[in-house]
């Protein structure tokens, strides 16, 4: 290659380490990256547009498919947005069940992150252990909702069904087992010299710059900013639970790794508190707009029958207002901006995807690093393309 | 801005220099220990795992005691279905009883969300535990009433 010339290399979309179908156009000078251009959109399904032609309940399975690694958290954000627009308050029991589902989903998301991140860097063993433990959460999802990866269990106004005794049993088993598993992950990675060499000091970003780019979630906290929607604007009973927000200092790959590792423990603490203090009561709000009358009532009472038809055919009619509601997704602040127009269908649903914003910082994060470090930096910001492309 | 009281700084766990061989050995020991533990994988399809009660698999159209379909062709399930996988042709008898003349579910379009069984006002449609239907032709995934009545026949029983 002639002096001063650079080489253009396409990384992805069919690259296992881009966590989906991300295409990066890398301009290389030898092994050093000069410029990066991310190309997104290869997983675009038009979820925001499809939502405009659906009623409010039908959108729920669509949101599962945003960040499919932590599906229940997406459900949570969406359902809370619609509830805010309708002005309804979900019963305590449903809120706690939502918290348990959400935190389990966060752990699931972090499992996938840890497994694939380590796999990308070359530590193959970890992925087997994370998937072993992820399987336990999938079983819990299956017990509760009937589906493993995309439960679609939350509803506007509550959750689909009450929990089962087995659910409590499985969650307790998981809570008991999981600290040991986290110790195992730590044994394999935290002190490991190869892991440290591949992650320490790689891809650092200072707190101020991270804020300017719009970072949220563990990627921001790795730079030392204690911003977490669960603490900054508590929702869904999060103020009831005692938990901490892990932050880093150096903003490099290793600190983001440490932050997520601690989040395993903190999420587990929330789950434990929620399952032990689960309040009694109904799991859906008693509001005629959203409560699906049960079969017995439908058989007895003509008005219940009509209401059931009305709710299932049309769903709730929301006021012509606009709301924004954010939740702490497993990757950062997951926000929904919803415009209602007085009918039973959203006028516009805009999803603030944390991964999209993290991807926009890739040209900055990857400029000047070695080609091999590209992989570890992409892994460390933990993007999932289902959410970027929507 | 940073360091609120609920924040815990984890970068203290950063190991600095030294500690090279021991962590590697510990990691190896952990792997070795797990190497001799009981495998958690199962040998599908010879071994099959039992799915839970609420599993959302292939649909079944329930029948009443006389063997007639419970469905009254109200169309609620078709209406709520997010990917519009259900197609019903209703038929009304002289006396006013309605039943579906044709009832199709496109099992390829279906995302198994379970909304249809939640919507049905007479408990006529239900999602079963059958999850491994395979076929060669897309057309075969258009389930008609005959197939929908008995999805259990598709459980893979080995050769
Ligand atoms: S399970 Fe969901 S997608 Fe499938 S037919 Fe029923 S409503 Fe439609
Ligand atoms: S909702 Fe039930 S009764 Fe109505 S058409 Fe569907 S299966 Fe038949």
């Amino acid at each position: 290659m002639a002096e001063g010339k650079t080489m253009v290399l396409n990384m992805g979309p069919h690259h296992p380490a881009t966590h989906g179908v991300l295409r990066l156009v890398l301009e290389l000078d030898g092994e050093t990256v000069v410029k990066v251009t991310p190309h997104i959109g290869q997983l675009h399904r038009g979820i925001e547009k499809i939502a405009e032609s659906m009623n409010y309940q039908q959108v729920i399975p669509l949101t599962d498919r945003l960040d499919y690694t932590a599906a229940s958290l997406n459900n949570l954000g969406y359902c809370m947005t619609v509830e805010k627009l309708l002005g309804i308050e979900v019963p305590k029991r449903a809120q706690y069940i939502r918290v348990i589902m959400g935190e389990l989903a966060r752990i699931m998301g972090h499992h996938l992150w840890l497994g694939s991140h380590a796999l990308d860097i070359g530590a193959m063993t970890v992925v087997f252990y994370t998937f072993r433990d992820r399987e336990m959460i999938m079983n819990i999802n299956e017990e509760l909702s009937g589906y493993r990866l995309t439960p679609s269990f939350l509803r506007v106004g509550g959750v689909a069904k009450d929990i089962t005794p087995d659910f409590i049993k499985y969650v307790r088993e998981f809570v008991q087992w999981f600290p040991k598993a986290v110790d195992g992950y730590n044994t394999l990675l935290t002190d490991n010299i190869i892991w440290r060499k591949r992650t320490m000091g790689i891809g650092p970003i200072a707190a101020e710059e991270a804020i300017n780019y719009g970072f949220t979630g563990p990627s921001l906290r790795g730079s030392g900013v204690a911003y977490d929607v669960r603490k900054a604007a508590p929702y869904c009973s999060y103020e009831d639970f005692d938990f901490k927000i892990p932050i880093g200092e150096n903003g490099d790959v290793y600190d983001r790794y440490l932050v997520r590792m601690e989040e395993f423990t903190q999420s587990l603490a929330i789950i434990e508190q929620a399952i032990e203090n689960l309040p009694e009561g109904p799991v859906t709000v008693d509001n005629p707009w959203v409560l699906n009358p049960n079969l017995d009532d439908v058989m007895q009472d003509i008005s219940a029958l009509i209401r059931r038809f009305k709710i299932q055919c049309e769903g709730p009619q929301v006021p012509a207002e606009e709301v924004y509601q954010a939740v702490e997704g497993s990757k950062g602040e997951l926000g929904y901006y919803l415009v209602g127009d007085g009918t039973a269908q959203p006028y516009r649903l805009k999803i603030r995807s944390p991964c999209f914003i993290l991807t926009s910082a890739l040209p900055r994060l990857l400029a000047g690093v070695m080609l091999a470090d590209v992989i570890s930096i992409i892994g460390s910001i933990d993007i999932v393309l289902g959410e970027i492309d929507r | 801005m940073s360091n609120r009281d609920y924040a815990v700084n984890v970068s203290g766990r950063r190991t600095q220099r030294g500690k090279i061989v021991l962590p590697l050995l510990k990691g190896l020991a952990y792997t070795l220990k797990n190497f001799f533990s009981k495998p958690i994988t199962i040998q599908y399809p010879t071994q099959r795992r039992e799915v839970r009660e609420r599993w959302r698999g292939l649909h079944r159209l329930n029948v009443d005691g006389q063997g007639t379909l419970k469905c009254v062709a109200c169309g609620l399930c078709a209406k709520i279905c997010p990917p519009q996988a259900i197609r019903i042709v209703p038929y009304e008898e002289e006396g006013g009883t309605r039943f579906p003349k044709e009832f199709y579910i496109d099992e390829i379009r279906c995302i198994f969300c379970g909304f249809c069984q939640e919507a049905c006002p007479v408990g006529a449609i239900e999602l079963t535990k059958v999850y491994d239907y395979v076929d060669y032709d897309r057309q075969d995934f258009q389930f008609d009433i005959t197939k929908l009545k008995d999805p259990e026949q598709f459980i893979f029983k080995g050769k």
Side-chain angles (χ1 to χ4, degrees):
Chain A
M1 197 166 56
E3 187 77 24
K5 275 225 176 131
T6 54
M7 184 180 82
V8 173
L9 183 76
N10 263 305
M11 188 175 147
H14 307 292
H15 193 287
T18 55
H19 294 206
V21 282
L22 176 67
R23 174 169 158 237
L24 293 174
V25 180
L26 304 171
E27 216 178 299
L28 297 174
D29 179 11
E31 278 219 45
T32 315
V33 178
V34 181
K35 189 169 166 247
V36 181
T37 321
H39 285 241
I40 61 164
Q42 327 230 12
L43 201 62
H44 180 69
R45 293 147 296 173
I47 284 182
E48 292 177 0
K49 189 70 193 168
I50 300 173
E52 290 170 17
S53 61
M54 288 185 157
N55 75 27
Y56 285 97
Q57 185 180 346
Q58 287 175 322
V59 179
I60 295 170
L62 287 180
T63 62
D64 273 299
R65 283 144 183 90
L66 291 169
D67 173 7
Y68 42 80
T69 64
S72 289
L73 283 168
N74 309 335
N75 287 174
L76 177 63
Y78 170 73
C79 291
M80 282 178 47
T81 315
V82 181
E83 283 150 13
K84 197 168 173 184
L85 203 54
L86 285 168
I88 52 183
E89 171 94 15
V90 177
K92 255 314 194 214
R93 186 178 175 84
Q95 291 191 6
Y96 273 54
I97 298 173
R98 285 173 167 199
V99 166
I100 297 170
M101 290 290 278
E103 292 305 320
L104 285 172
R106 188 186 316 280
I107 294 179
M108 250 169 102
H110 284 4
H111 268 146
L112 197 81
W113 155 79
L114 181 63
S116 53
H117 186 34
L119 186 65
D120 293 345
I121 295 183
M124 233 188 121
T125 336
V126 186
V127 71
F128 298 118
Y129 299 128
T130 58
F131 270 63
R132 171 195 63 192
D133 303 326
R134 199 163 176 265
E135 186 71 19
M136 292 180 84
I137 306 183
M138 300 252 240
N139 284 340
I140 297 173
N141 278 348
E142 182 186 334
E143 168 64 30
L144 189 60
S145 71
Y147 236 49
R148 295 161 63 76
L149 192 66
T150 52
S152 301
F153 186 68
L154 272 54
R155 294 285 181 274
V156 175
V159 294
K161 286 178 188 151
D162 205 351
I163 57 168
T164 61
D166 273 353
F167 170 76
I168 300 184
K169 196 181 100 203
Y170 291 139
V171 173
R172 286 211 176 114
E173 265 169 27
F174 179 73
V175 168
Q176 269 217 328
W177 153 254
F178 194 54
K180 264 188 274 168
V182 177
D183 283 351
Y185 310 154
N186 274 319
T187 314
L188 288 170
L189 292 177
T190 306
D191 287 341
N192 188 308
I193 182 74
I194 308 166
W195 181 257
R196 273 153 56 200
K197 288 257 183 227
R198 288 297 305 271
T199 54
M200 274 190 188
I202 308 292
I205 185 160
E208 192 159 344
E209 211 181 345
I211 293 173
N212 287 346
Y213 268 107
F215 274 34
T216 44
S219 308
L220 175 67
R221 294 194 283 273
S223 302
V225 184
Y227 175 72
D228 185 309
V229 188
R230 288 173 296 176
K231 286 287 190 194
Y235 54 89
C236 199
S237 296
Y238 268 109
E239 64 277 5
D240 293 3
F241 306 113
D242 175 27
F243 64 103
K244 293 258 185 281
I245 302 300
I247 56 167
E249 233 171 62
N250 309 288
D252 58 358
V253 176
Y254 192 73
D255 267 18
R256 294 195 276 270
Y257 156 79
L258 285 179
V259 165
R260 290 204 181 86
M261 289 304 264
E262 179 61 24
E263 280 188 6
F264 276 133
T265 316
Q266 297 300 337
S267 289
L268 198 72
I270 300 175
I271 295 169
E272 193 175 3
Q273 293 166 45
I275 198 85
E276 298 310 332
N277 305 320
L278 196 66
E280 293 297 320
V283 292
T284 39
V285 63
D286 190 7
N287 177 316
W289 278 119
V290 290
L291 182 68
N292 195 19
N294 65 35
L295 271 187
D296 295 336
D297 288 350
V298 168
M299 289 296 160
Q300 310 277 328
D301 183 0
I302 184 74
S303 67
L305 180 71
I306 294 169
R307 205 144 52 77
R308 187 160 171 135
F309 268 74
K310 189 91 180 139
I311 286 167
Q312 296 296 344
C313 279
E314 276 184 18
Q317 320 247 331
V318 307
E321 281 164 24
E322 303 176 8
V323 285
Y324 175 78
Q325 171 74 45
V327 296
E328 182 70 22
S330 72
K331 324 279 191 260
E333 175 178 335
L334 174 68
Y336 290 85
Y337 183 76
L338 182 63
V339 185
D341 60 354
T343 66
Q345 290 173 342
Y347 179 74
R348 175 83 169 94
L349 178 67
K350 165 82 180 84
I351 299 159
R352 184 219 186 264
S353 146
C355 299
F356 179 77
I357 288 152
L358 291 168
T359 315
S360 75
L362 275 182
R364 147 73 183 82
L365 282 172
L366 298 181
V369 305
M370 302 290 278
L371 182 57
D373 293 337
V374 170
I375 308 280
S376 54
I377 293 172
I378 295 177
S380 79
I381 60 170
D382 190 18
I383 48 178
V384 53
L385 269 288
E387 198 180 81
I388 294 172
D389 294 341
R390 304 198 278 279
Chain B
M1 178 169 29
S2 56
N3 288 329
R4 307 232 175 86
D5 52 350
Y6 49 73
V8 37
N9 193 332
V10 287
S11 55
R13 286 179 210 165
R14 242 174 143 81
T15 17
Q16 296 305 338
R17 16 210 87 255
K19 290 217 216 168
I20 294 177
V21 182
L22 195 64
L24 287 176
L25 286 180
K26 270 192 195 155
L28 279 176
Y30 183 77
T31 319
L32 203 65
K33 202 177 89 207
N34 277 281
F35 186 73
F36 292 108
S37 65
K38 196 166 150 278
I40 55 154
T41 43
I42 57 164
Q43 303 300 322
Y44 181 85
T46 42
Q47 277 176 330
R48 300 169 60 92
R49 64 185 279 278
E50 188 57 38
V51 296
R52 314 254 189 264
E53 213 35 59
R54 288 182 178 175
W55 183 264
R56 310 202 298 253
L58 290 184
H59 308 71
R60 177 177 59 223
L61 284 180
N62 288 331
V63 292
D64 60 12
Q66 278 93 48
T68 43
L69 289 178
K70 276 188 181 174
C71 174
V72 291
C74 66
L76 266 191
C77 52
K79 185 83 185 152
I80 192 73
C81 179
Q84 299 169 3
I86 304 181
R87 192 157 58 85
I88 305 167
V89 180
Y91 181 76
E92 199 164 319
E93 273 184 349
E94 299 258 313
T97 32
R98 275 168 71 95
F99 54 87
K101 199 157 127 207
E102 285 163 45
F103 197 115
Y104 292 104
I105 297 183
D106 186 340
E107 302 285 358
I108 295 181
R109 277 198 80 95
C110 173
I111 54 170
F112 299 97
C113 60
F115 286 178
C116 46
Q117 68 176 0
E118 256 171 61
C120 182
V122 289
I125 193 166
E126 209 179 303
L127 269 63
T128 58
K129 292 190 189 172
V130 188
Y131 58 86
D132 48 357
Y133 179 72
V134 283
D135 225 318
Y136 292 103
D137 202 338
R138 288 182 79 89
Q139 201 52 41
D140 294 327
F141 286 85
Q142 304 285 336
F143 274 35
D144 56 7
I145 293 183
T146 342
K147 276 185 166 178
L148 285 170
K149 263 186 177 172
D150 183 20
E152 267 87 9
Q153 60 179 304
F154 301 120
I155 297 177
F156 182 72
K157 298 181 192 76
K159 285 208 178 145

